[in-house]
Amino acid sequence: MEEPVSGRISVTNEDIEIEPMIEAAKQRTSGAIVTFLGMVRDDGIESMELFAYDEVAVHDMTEIRDDAVRQFNLQRVDIVHRIGHLRVGENILLIVVAAGHRKEAFQGCEYILERIKERAPIWKKEYLADGHRWIEGDHP
């Protein structure tokens, strides 16, 4: 029987503690750790609000993680997605992937990111100086 991959998968209102997850990903058999940190960027917005169907988002991200582990032989995966009201420069999404080799780690991280964007029930509303807008395809 396969040993389950460890790591945290969550949706939270709290800021993401990055360093502890990177440290936790270090294993004697890991040759690479790849991280992705998505942040609120200044592209004319003042802030952003993120909403999620938490239980389903965690379930979907767990399935996405499990698929990536099988496809890319990953050793550990952490996925933390924030929700709530965020300002420019704040963290939105952290993915930490550990694998035996860099190619597996990079491919696994990209796979996870793209599947989350396609599948997880997480929506974004941007606030501008003169109002707000839902991001296309990202509203309840």
Side-chain angles (χ1 to χ4, degrees):
M1 181 168 173
E2 280 185 29
E3 187 176 315
V5 170
S6 61
R8 173 182 171 190
I9 297 179
S10 65
V11 173
T12 181
N13 284 300
E14 303 298 320
D15 195 11
I16 303 167
E17 293 188 37
I18 300 166
E19 289 300 319
M21 280 191 275
I22 292 172
E23 284 302 312
K26 291 181 179 179
Q27 302 174 36
R28 291 179 57 88
T29 57
S30 295
I33 296 172
V34 170
T35 62
F36 170 83
L37 179 62
M39 302 171 296
V40 179
R41 68 178 171 271
D42 183 358
D43 60 356
I45 68 169
E46 294 183 348
S47 62
M48 172 185 293
E49 192 152 8
L50 290 107
F51 305 87
Y53 186 169
D54 296 12
E55 296 82 11
V56 176
V58 169
H59 177 267
D60 288 353
M61 290 189 294
T62 301
E63 286 186 348
I64 291 164
R65 186 260 330 259
D66 293 347
D67 290 344
V69 166
R70 283 189 294 275
Q71 288 184 48
F72 304 103
N73 197 30
L74 306 179
Q75 298 170 338
R76 181 183 173 99
V77 175
D78 291 282
I79 305 169
V80 181
H81 205 301
R82 287 189 63 197
I83 56 173
H85 194 90
L86 305 177
R87 303 226 174 265
V88 171
E90 289 192 78
N91 301 325
I92 299 173
L93 172 65
L94 176 66
I95 302 170
V96 179
V97 173
H101 302 281
R102 68 180 176 271
K103 186 173 184 179
E104 296 165 337
F106 275 110
Q107 289 176 331
C109 189
E110 182 177 30
Y111 176 88
I112 292 166
L113 174 61
E114 296 305 323
R115 298 300 88 68
I116 289 171
K117 290 177 62 124
E118 291 171 0
R119 188 169 154 195
I122 299 169
W123 306 281
K124 300 175 199 165
K125 185 179 189 181
E126 294 181 339
Y127 292 91
L128 309 135
D130 61 350
H132 68 272
R133 65 180 177 221
W134 286 100
I135 302 301
E136 184 65 31
D138 285 342
H139 55 278

